Amino acid sequence: MTPDRHQADIAIVGAGIAGIATAVEALARGRRVLILDRDVEASLGGLACEAMGGLWFAGTPLQRRYRIQDSIELGYADWLSFGELGDDDEWPRAWARRYVERCVPDVFEWLTGLGVRFMPMPMWVERGLHRQGNSVPRFHFVWGTGRALIAALIARLRDLPQRGRFEIRFGHRVDSLVTRDGKVTGVVGATEPEGRPFEVAADAIVIAAGGINGDIDRVRRHWHADWGHPPPVILNGSHRFADGRLHDAAAAAGANVTHLDWQWNYAAGIRHWRPRKPGHGLSLVPPKSALWLNARGERIGPEPLVTGFDTHELVARICHEPGGYSWQLLNRRIALRELAVSGAEFNPAIRDQRRLAVARDLLFGNRWLYDELTRNSEDIVQAGTLPELVLRMNALNGDDVVELPAVEAAVARYDEAIARGPRFHNDEQLQRIAWARRWPGDRLRTCAFQRIMDPGAGPLMAIREFVISRKSLGGIQTDLQCRVLDGGGSPLSGLYAVGEAAGFGGGGMNGKRGLEGTFLGGCLLGGRIAGQTV
């Protein structure tokens, strides 16, 4: 079959947030741009459309409004510490520095200029546990979630006077790169589902096709040593086409692909009851006031698990527990105030920009989400008593692994610690709850030392949680102009990479941990730089 042939100045592989940002900048400079995307047109924007839409910034007006003293130097020090970036991580460190220095003028101010607005208060996540994390609140939520973010970028793309020089082709799967005389000059692939071959010739090729975390087999092959062995069940919270195909193509052309074991996975995934891909999972924001138990019903310890401090460590702890999965035990009152699901789909009030609904959920609890989860999730059971709850937990698993005495002992000790009063809280989970509640953004969403067996707070709830694959922190190595580098550190002529494909910059600018919000931010900064460079 004769392949379809196309030509452009710039060919971008991937129509996610990084690819769109690249196109915006390249078009503004008069280049002819062609985007190739494997998905359908309704999915323009990629996984960012489904995201909650949080971005990491250091030194914004929003921070100053709350008298948060932040700086480039403090942000960079936290970044290096949390990611454990060493002196030999030359390009990841260079990209980390570039992001911290430029995220406010080149991302925050650029977005606000496009009409993007942020929630009133920055949140404080990834505070650090055994290593310093965010010293101050830096996580800025987009008002309208990732959907509003993508809508603003698409509007900018369509409003450019040069939009006639732009084309996007959906259902086009790129399989390999074309190289001539040491320069990458094009791509080849096939349409889906028809299988019609195509070729694209361009002065520059930009890989913006995401990471590897949508391919669970690859995730297992590159499992980080900190996490031990991969658990039996890993849910998929990444894009279904984030399969590493373009990493392989870049490597075949001589690119240096690094640190694929640097992954950002989460410890609290449940199965989606309306799956759109194999193993589709939802990433919960686990309640701080819930008890985190292992497969047998024992409280995981001696250091208890509490979200918001070190996500990488949470995954490691779960993977070293029997079965490689966990339970969270809580009650209705805790769930209403603290339980959340990451992403636009399960935050309709914020996504649809309904201020009164957001205020209602904060003041009275998110009843819509509670009902949605308890009615539909196969990983949630409820009961009026602990013995009945344990029976249902075991029935869910089809075994008798959960031990009632272990659950009863864990609950009793925790509730007794609460009953002694804050002056005598020597339970580390309660101490971390107290610390979290000092920041108003967390106090709104965290109970004030809520007992599990409080008679007025029921029914009881148990959530079975699995590790869920999310983002690739490693990837195709790039310099500060987004040029792809070979194993010797030299640029491959004509080839660029941005976003998650490049480990958000440099083949892994976050290191092995991310401070949250650096993912969307890294896609935008990298995309803008690539579009300006090419």
Side-chain angles (χ1 to χ4, degrees), residues 22 103 139 167 232 282 284 360 413 431 456 489 494 513 527:
T22 303
C103 64
F139 194 64
E167 184 180 4
L282 297 172
L284 301 186
R360 177 203 63 204
R413 282 195 297 270
Q431 292 169 352
R513 292 183 187 84

Side-chain angles (χ1 to χ4, degrees), residues 56 58 71-80 85 89-106 480 504-506 508-511 525 529:
W56 187 99
S71 68
I72 290 171
E73 293 306 322
L74 180 60
Y76 185 56
D78 289 350
W79 192 301
L80 295 185
L85 286 167
D89 294 314
E90 176 189 1
W91 289 113
R93 287 173 68 102
W95 266 96
R97 182 78 194 188
R98 177 61 56 87
Y99 182 84
V100 177
E101 289 177 341
R102 301 305 306 170
C103 64
V104 173
D106 291 350
L480 291 178
F504 303 101
M509 74 171 187
N510 287 279
L525 181 64
I529 291 173

Side-chain angles (χ1 to χ4, degrees), residues 64-344:
R64 291 192 289 273
R65 183 186 305 168
Y66 290 96
R67 291 182 284 184
I68 297 170
Q69 298 180 11
D70 204 0
S71 68
I72 290 171
E73 293 306 322
L74 180 60
Y76 185 56
D78 289 350
W79 192 301
L80 295 185
S81 168
F82 203 55
E84 297 188 49
L85 286 167
D87 292 339
D88 55 341
D89 294 314
E90 176 189 1
W91 289 113
R93 287 173 68 102
W95 266 96
R97 182 78 194 188
R98 177 61 56 87
Y99 182 84
V100 177
E101 289 177 341
R102 301 305 306 170
C103 64
V104 173
D106 291 350
V107 181
F108 180 84
E109 292 176 1
W110 185 66
L111 288 176
T112 54
L114 296 180
V116 174
R117 296 293 176 260
F118 293 91
M119 298 284 281
M121 182 180 295
M123 301 301 290
W124 197 355
V125 295
E126 300 305 314
R127 300 180 179 209
L129 190 57
H130 304 299
R131 305 190 65 85
Q132 179 62 50
N134 280 311
S135 296
V136 294
R138 297 188 174 113
F139 194 64
H140 294 60
F141 274 121
V142 172
W143 177 235
T145 72
R147 189 172 298 183
L149 183 62
I150 289 296
L153 290 179
I154 293 173
R156 174 61 175 163
L157 194 62
R158 291 173 175 164
D159 288 344
L160 285 169
Q162 302 89 344
R163 63 185 179 277
R165 301 173 65 84
F166 169 69
E167 184 180 4
I168 182 166
R169 291 183 175 270
F170 296 98
H172 279 59
R173 185 195 70 233
V174 173
D175 295 321
S176 59
L177 305 174
V178 177
T179 305
R180 290 192 178 92
D181 301 324
K183 174 180 170 62
V184 176
T185 60
V187 299
V188 296
T191 61
E192 292 184 334
E194 301 87 358
R196 184 175 182 85
F198 67 85
E199 298 177 1
V200 175
D203 296 335
I205 305 298
V206 182
I207 297 175
I212 69 165
N213 281 53
D215 183 336
I216 301 302
D217 288 337
R218 285 192 191 241
V219 168
R220 292 181 182 278
R221 289 201 301 272
H222 297 286
W223 200 245
H224 199 280
D226 288 354
W227 298 333
H229 295 291
V233 176
I234 301 175
L235 300 178
N236 190 348
S238 186
H239 196 286
R240 63 191 179 117
F241 293 143
D243 57 6
R245 181 181 297 264
L246 271 296
H247 293 68
D248 293 345
N256 187 28
V257 180
T258 68
H259 302 304
L260 293 183
D261 61 330
W262 287 358
Q263 299 175 24
W264 197 240
N265 301 323
Y266 292 93
I270 62 172
R271 292 180 174 90
H272 201 314
W273 50 94
R274 295 186 292 268
R276 298 186 291 275
K277 55 196 168 191
H280 191 174
L282 297 172
S283 181
L284 301 186
V285 180
K288 289 181 173 64
S289 300
L291 284 181
W292 218 319
L293 312 176
N294 66 16
R296 292 192 291 261
E298 301 160 333
R299 189 181 184 191
I300 298 174
E303 182 180 66
L305 302 193
V306 185
T307 190
F309 294 86
D310 187 337
T311 296
H312 181 92
E313 176 68 12
L314 289 178
V315 174
R317 296 283 300 279
I318 296 300
C319 289
H320 286 91
E321 289 292 328
Y325 69 95
S326 62
W327 295 92
Q328 278 207 302
L329 180 61
L330 60 159
N331 55 42
R332 184 177 185 271
R333 184 174 295 167
I334 294 171
L336 284 172
R337 186 161 185 179
E338 299 188 19
L339 184 58
V341 180
S342 178

Side-chain angles (χ1 to χ4, degrees), residues 329 381-383 385-393 460-462:
L329 180 61
V381 293
Q382 293 181 285
T385 66
L386 276 180
E388 184 183 3
L389 188 70
V390 169
L391 284 174
R392 294 184 179 181
M393 292 163 73
L460 299 170
M461 174 190 293

Side-chain angles (χ1 to χ4, degrees), residues 1 51 81 290 370 403 437 478:
M1 184 183 297
S81 168
Y370 178 87
E403 301 170 356
R437 282 178 52 83
T478 57

